[in-house]
Amino acid sequence: MTMEELIQQASTYLDEKDIALLREAYEFADNAHKGQFRKSGEPYIMHPIEVAGILVQLKMDVITIVSGFLHDVVEDTPITLEDIRAKFGDNVTELVDGVTKLRHFEYTSKEDQQAENHRKMFVAMARDLRCVIVKLADRLHNMRTLKFMSQEKQVQKANETLEIFAPLANRLGISAIKWELEDISLRYLKPQQYYKIVNLMKQKRDEREAYIAQVVEDLREYVKSVHIEAEVSGRPKHIYSIYRKMVNQHKQFNEIYDLFAVRIIVKSIKDCYAILGIIHTHWKPMPGRFKDYIAMPKANMYQSLHTTVIGPKGDPLEVQIRTEEMHDVAEYGIAAHWAYKEGKVKNINNKFEDKLTWFREILEYQNETDDAKEFMESLKMDLFSDTVFVFTPKGDVIELPVGSVPIDFAYRIHTEIGHKTVGAKVNGKMVPLDYKLKTGDIVDVMTSKHSYGPSRDWLKIAQSSAFKNKIRQWFKRQQRQENVAKGREMLEKELRSQNLSLKDNLTEEKINNVAKKFNFSHENELFAAIGYSGITAKQVVTRLTEDDRKTPETTESEERMKQLSETKPAPTQHRKTSLGVRVKGVDNLLVRLARCCNPVPGDAIVGYITRGRGVTIHRVDCPNIKNEEEQRLMKVEWENSESKSKEYNVDIEVTAYDRNGLLNEVLQCVSDSHTAINGISGRADKNKVATIHMTIAITNIDHLYRVVEKIKRIPDIYSVRRVMQ
């Protein structure tokens, strides 16, 4: 394409001001690349002209086309981004920067550098999608001129194109670029197969073209008879699609009949379905070969009706039916969003941002990893894999990678729903969490606020790297350092909400005193407990301010405690009990463990004075004491939370998919962890959800966590949680 041909084509939809800007960009690029030549021997400026020409064919806006002219000047000439900014503004500069390779850093290998270049492009693309459209145009022209490169370079570029750029064009819906990239890549990667298919297609081309011409003529007559205005045409299948069908279906070329497809373009959606009825009236549809992408568009906004019928000669014939607007999107995809029509930007689909939520996931995931190669591998897996479409119970369509399981679905809905997932129903029936979802499934996930959170086994069965990353983040948040920071923040927030001074209440002395009252040896343990919700910030604030709220009157409980302590002086500050609990400052008190929450060593505990029954030991998060009088609470602590000399009963509830052998596996798992079972009961409902209640004897909180984690590793387990009576 020459510059004048480009200007002539651009003039069909751009105004004179835009054309003047294109000429200015061309002259700037021409001067910058003066004296540079391509491997083919032609002046380098021909490449920017061809790239800009491809963008004009896509009917892109003037900013994108200008960026096409300038996309290589920063990388290959002394021109800087600031030079471009001064001449053409911020928008053009951002696009040029997005497609400019990194060259000022040292890398251990070319693979690392290329991965980092790709990451840079994808991040820029997430900010402005036009960046990747320029890059696709650049790659397309480079592939068209690949014959001038070395064989090693040809294979490398073809592989990269097939792995990244062709799938990306497909995901963006730009089929006009996607098919050409795939066909050219196949020519250099599998030349024998490529030319074999080309030659086989040539051998009976006249016969096939005559057949398709007859089919097109018949369809035009059928359409004309019902007075619907339509454009009917036939098109040959692309070479790469034929190659993939031969490989995937293990077929020879002569076993593939649908080498041509017929396309019908009409004015309205109503006409699409009317034409479908006409076709099915005249030709018998093949079972399972009808797809309605109008009612359920693809993620790249593609819409069309696809049906395969038994044609006039008894061979399968594929027919596609769509409106003119759908055809624009099918050919140009997301590029159609910036297409011009009558001097104004034509927004093909106002909801295109919602259709491309995966771009936002690119930004989210790249912030979580410093490894560019890991980022690219995850990107290939998530963005370029095939997809399944499933439904929520309310009928909303959710798109997921092929192989996804209910966990992927849950995290797609919301991160917290994913974290709290304990089970799932598909089409009204309970399924295990590793069930592979299929297109059309109706998925309903079950959650529990008492869930321990995700299991590490989920990292093995979740399909999406983005969702696996969310699971890793959850485990990361459980780490002590983050909980400390979170707890401190929550405490400060609670103090502010009560209009209390941070300076007066968050002193080192006060914090350490309160930490001791909650049986923590250090202030960071107190903050961490707030962070993982072991205690509430409100409870801590109450303890921080209790001295300020004391009155001269001595309460009944305090007087009682004073009398008890004066009756018989204790030889030590603490009273040890047979339960392994120390009651601070008081001797000869009856102490028992609360049956409602069953505290065990390692739990944060508090004593509660009961009239005539001594002190009952509760967990600090026990709901039965949260609203009780502060004056009746006592400081208590475990003698040694790591001791294994005593055992304590704990009630746990296991929820799982009901199957043969489940109970035996759970019992064997507990037994293998050297844990006694003191009580067990279970039931299963009509949805095949089994619930097992167990009372187990454990020595401390760590022992409990080990047992819980082992049970959670059993297949088909939804949740394991500690319960209160």
Side-chain angles (χ1 to χ4, degrees):
M1 177 181 287
T2 65
M3 182 60 189
E4 289 309 312
E5 288 173 338
L6 183 151
I7 292 297
Q8 185 178 358
Q9 189 170 345
S11 298
T12 60
Y13 71 96
L14 294 180
D15 59 28
E16 292 182 3
K17 183 180 178 182
D18 291 337
I19 296 298
L21 185 58
L22 292 186
R23 290 188 183 278
E24 187 178 357
Y26 161 72
E27 291 171 2
F28 187 93
D30 190 24
N31 289 329
H33 291 295
K34 194 74 74 177
Q36 294 181 343
F37 295 89
R38 301 268 289 174
K39 291 283 187 182
S40 61
E42 63 183 8
Y44 195 94
I45 189 62
M46 294 306 299
H47 173 62
I49 291 175
E50 291 288 349
V51 171
I54 293 169
L55 296 171
V56 169
Q57 290 168 2
L58 293 174
K59 296 190 182 303
M60 292 300 296
D61 63 302
V62 67
I63 296 297
T64 311
I65 302 170
V66 168
S67 302
F69 277 119
L70 305 175
H71 75 279
D72 273 341
V73 295
V74 174
E75 184 178 334
D76 296 331
T77 77
I79 299 295
T80 66
L81 287 173
E82 291 308 313
D83 294 333
I84 295 178
R85 195 183 309 276
K87 187 77 172 176
F88 298 100
D90 291 338
N91 288 339
V92 172
T93 305
E94 291 301 318
L95 291 182
V96 172
D97 183 37
V99 296
T100 299
K101 294 177 183 175
L102 298 170
R103 60 178 182 175
H104 301 299
F105 299 93
E106 294 295 327
Y107 295 95
T108 56
S109 67
K110 288 184 177 180
E111 290 79 10
D112 289 341
Q113 181 173 8
Q114 191 71 333
E116 197 62 60
N117 284 328
H118 288 152
R119 168 148 75 170
K120 179 176 184 283
M121 180 191 72
F122 278 105
V123 173
M125 169 177 88
R127 293 192 295 266
D128 192 333
L129 285 170
R130 291 176 295 182
C131 168
V132 81
I133 297 174
V134 174
K135 188 63 180 178
L136 287 173
D138 172 52
R139 176 50 61 110
L140 179 57
H141 182 251
N142 282 333
M143 293 299 289
R144 287 173 177 173
T145 58
L146 200 56
K147 63 182 178 181
F148 299 105
M149 307 296 287
S150 66
Q151 184 177 359
E152 181 184 357
K153 201 76 170 178
Q154 289 172 351
V155 172
Q156 178 203 332
K157 291 291 183 184
N159 264 321
E160 184 182 48
T161 299
L162 213 51
E163 287 184 358
I164 296 178
F165 291 100
L168 182 59
N170 178 58
R171 198 68 191 256
L172 294 173
I174 313 176
S175 60
I177 289 180
K178 176 220 176 197
W179 291 118
E180 189 173 354
L181 288 177
E182 289 181 335
D183 282 357
I184 296 174
S185 297
L186 181 63
R187 186 197 311 170
Y188 290 101
L189 291 175
K190 304 283 184 181
Q192 288 184 330
Q193 289 90 329
Y194 175 86
Y195 288 110
K196 178 181 178 182
I197 293 171
V198 170
N199 292 329
L200 288 170
M201 290 182 72
K202 284 180 180 178
Q203 289 175 10
K204 295 186 177 182
R205 176 178 290 176
D206 293 343
E207 181 182 331
R208 283 195 302 270
E209 287 181 349
Y211 170 66
I212 209 73
Q214 183 59 51
V215 169
V216 168
E217 187 60 33
D218 290 346
L219 279 172
R220 284 174 179 160
E221 289 298 321
Y222 299 152
V223 171
K224 188 176 179 180
S225 67
V226 292
H227 309 291
I228 294 177
E229 186 179 345
E231 176 186 333
V232 185
S233 61
R235 67 169 183 85
K237 287 290 185 72
H238 293 276
I239 297 171
Y240 184 76
S241 66
I242 295 172
Y243 167 75
R244 291 303 304 167
K245 186 168 289 188
M246 292 171 64
V247 171
N248 293 338
Q249 299 179 11
H250 306 289
K251 289 184 176 181
Q252 296 299 316
F253 182 84
N254 57 8
E255 296 178 289
I256 298 177
Y257 298 102
D258 51 343
L259 298 175
F260 279 82
V262 176
R263 181 177 293 148
I264 304 174
I265 300 175
V266 295
K267 297 293 184 181
S268 67
I269 294 178
K270 179 181 70 174
D271 290 343
C272 290
Y273 290 99
I275 295 293
L276 177 68
I278 293 169
I279 292 171
H280 285 180
T281 300
H282 289 86
W283 295 318
K284 184 176 293 185
M286 293 182 66
R289 297 294 298 272
F290 169 66
K291 294 177 181 177
D292 189 345
Y293 293 119
I294 293 179
M296 192 184 298
K298 290 185 178 182
N300 59 15
M301 301 178 298
Y302 177 89
Q303 288 184 286
S304 185
L305 295 178
H306 288 198
T307 184
T308 301
V309 297
I310 303 299
K313 292 187 177 181
D315 293 334
L317 174 69
E318 181 184 322
V319 183
Q320 300 172 355
I321 311 166
R322 61 183 69 147
T323 66
E324 293 175 351
E325 193 172 76
M326 291 174 191
H327 183 63
D328 283 344
V329 175
E331 290 297 305
Y332 306 124
I334 197 66
H337 178 71
W338 287 277
Y340 273 67
K341 187 176 183 180
E342 298 175 359
K344 295 182 179 179
V345 175
K346 176 178 64 174
N347 188 346
I348 295 296
N349 189 338
N350 289 326
K351 295 183 178 179
F352 87 103
E353 289 286 356
D354 295 334
K355 295 290 184 182
L356 297 167
T357 54
W358 51 278
F359 268 129
R360 287 192 288 272
E361 291 177 7
I362 290 175
L363 273 180
E364 180 181 337
Y365 184 58
Q366 74 91 21
N367 286 331
E368 296 297 327
T369 177
D370 295 325
D371 190 332
K373 292 173 73 173
E374 177 188 338
F375 168 74
M376 286 307 302
E377 288 304 314
S378 300
L379 195 68
K380 292 176 192 177
M381 186 185 301
D382 287 356
L383 303 187
F384 308 143
S385 61
D386 292 331
T387 55
V388 294
F389 298 91
V390 298
F391 296 91
T392 68
K394 293 183 179 179
D396 296 327
V397 180
I398 303 296
E399 179 207 359
L400 295 166
V402 165
S404 290
V405 297
I407 293 168
D408 295 287
F409 175 88
Y411 278 101
R412 171 69 77 189
I413 300 299
H414 194 278
T415 301
E416 286 305 313
I417 289 178
H419 289 341
K420 297 296 183 183
T421 295
V422 295
K425 292 182 182 179
V426 174
N427 303 324
K429 296 182 179 179
M430 288 298 302
V431 296
L433 288 178
D434 60 357
Y435 170 87
K436 295 289 191 297
L437 298 175
K438 300 183 291 292
T439 293
D441 282 343
I442 301 173
V443 187
D444 184 12
V445 295
M446 296 179 294
T447 61
S448 170
K449 64 181 180 180
H450 300 298
S451 168
Y452 270 94
S455 165
R456 291 193 181 274
D457 290 340
W458 291 8
L459 293 169
K460 300 176 184 177
I461 61 176
Q463 178 69 16
S464 169
S465 294
F467 303 149
K468 287 181 181 180
N469 188 53
K470 292 181 186 296
I471 296 169
R472 291 190 190 98
Q473 286 178 331
W474 186 89
F475 284 109
K476 186 178 179 181
R477 282 196 297 270
Q478 305 313 300
Q479 295 176 357
R480 186 171 178 274
Q481 188 175 358
E482 292 198 14
N483 282 326
V484 168
K486 182 180 176 183
R488 182 184 290 273
E489 182 180 347
M490 292 169 67
L491 182 57
E492 290 177 356
K493 184 177 179 181
E494 181 63 30
L495 285 166
R496 290 191 191 98
S497 70
Q498 296 187 30
N499 295 319
L500 296 171
S501 168
L502 299 185
K503 182 179 179 181
D504 293 338
N505 288 286
L506 291 183
T507 64
E508 183 177 351
E509 181 181 356
K510 278 192 172 185
I511 289 294
N512 284 325
N513 286 339
V514 172
K516 291 176 182 177
K517 290 176 181 178
F518 281 101
N519 302 314
F520 297 120
S521 61
H522 191 271
E523 64 179 39
N524 281 347
E525 292 185 8
L526 175 69
F527 291 135
I530 300 172
Y532 64 68
S533 301
I535 56 176
T536 66
K538 192 171 184 178
Q539 288 175 300
V540 176
V541 170
T542 300
R543 289 300 182 97
L544 279 171
T545 59
E546 65 182 353
D547 290 337
D548 299 332
R549 293 181 284 105
K550 279 188 177 179
T551 60
E553 294 86 359
T554 304
T555 65
E556 178 183 347
S557 296
E558 287 175 325
E559 183 63 32
R560 170 67 174 158
M561 288 169 59
K562 184 179 179 181
Q563 291 175 357
L564 287 169
S565 62
E566 290 177 350
T567 303
K568 183 179 180 181
T572 63
Q573 271 264 306
H574 305 295
R575 167 64 178 173
K576 295 183 180 180
T577 71
S578 61
L579 298 175
V581 177
R582 292 193 183 112
V583 181
K584 293 189 176 182
V586 180
D587 194 7
N588 293 334
L589 281 181
L590 177 64
V591 176
R592 66 187 184 91
L593 299 179
R595 289 287 300 154
C596 56
C597 58
N598 282 336
V600 298
D603 285 330
I605 54 175
V606 64
Y608 178 70
I609 301 174
T610 55
R611 293 182 175 86
R613 298 177 64 185
V615 176
T616 304
I617 309 302
H618 291 263
R619 285 159 49 187
V620 295
D621 60 346
C622 179
N624 291 333
I625 63 164
K626 285 193 173 180
N627 297 321
E628 296 295 342
E629 302 170 18
E630 286 282 334
Q631 293 86 348
R632 300 179 67 177
L633 300 179
M634 298 185 65
K635 292 177 287 185
V636 294
E637 63 183 18
W638 298 105
E639 293 177 18
N640 184 356
S641 61
E642 298 181 359
S643 172
K644 297 183 179 181
S645 60
K646 299 182 178 64
E647 292 186 340
Y648 303 80
N649 283 340
V650 172
D651 296 317
I652 62 173
E653 179 186 88
V654 180
T655 308
Y657 175 70
D658 187 27
R659 59 172 172 79
N660 290 336
L662 173 69
L663 181 59
N664 285 339
E665 287 185 38
V666 173
L667 295 176
Q668 186 62 47
C669 176
V670 176
S671 177
D672 289 346
S673 65
H674 306 289
T675 304
I677 301 174
N678 294 332
I680 186 167
S681 63
R683 68 179 188 279
D685 63 19
K686 61 181 181 181
N687 292 319
K688 296 191 74 64
V689 177
T691 304
I692 304 170
H693 291 276
M694 288 193 295
T695 302
I696 58 177
I698 61 100
T699 55
N700 54 44
I701 196 70
D702 291 335
H703 182 184
L704 175 61
Y705 288 155
R706 286 196 300 272
V707 175
V708 168
E709 283 302 314
K710 282 190 175 182
I711 297 175
K712 288 171 73 174
R713 294 193 190 103
I714 297 174
D716 301 326
I717 295 293
Y718 298 145
S719 69
V720 185
R721 66 186 185 96
R722 186 175 174 183
V723 295
M724 298 186 187
Q725 295 182 353

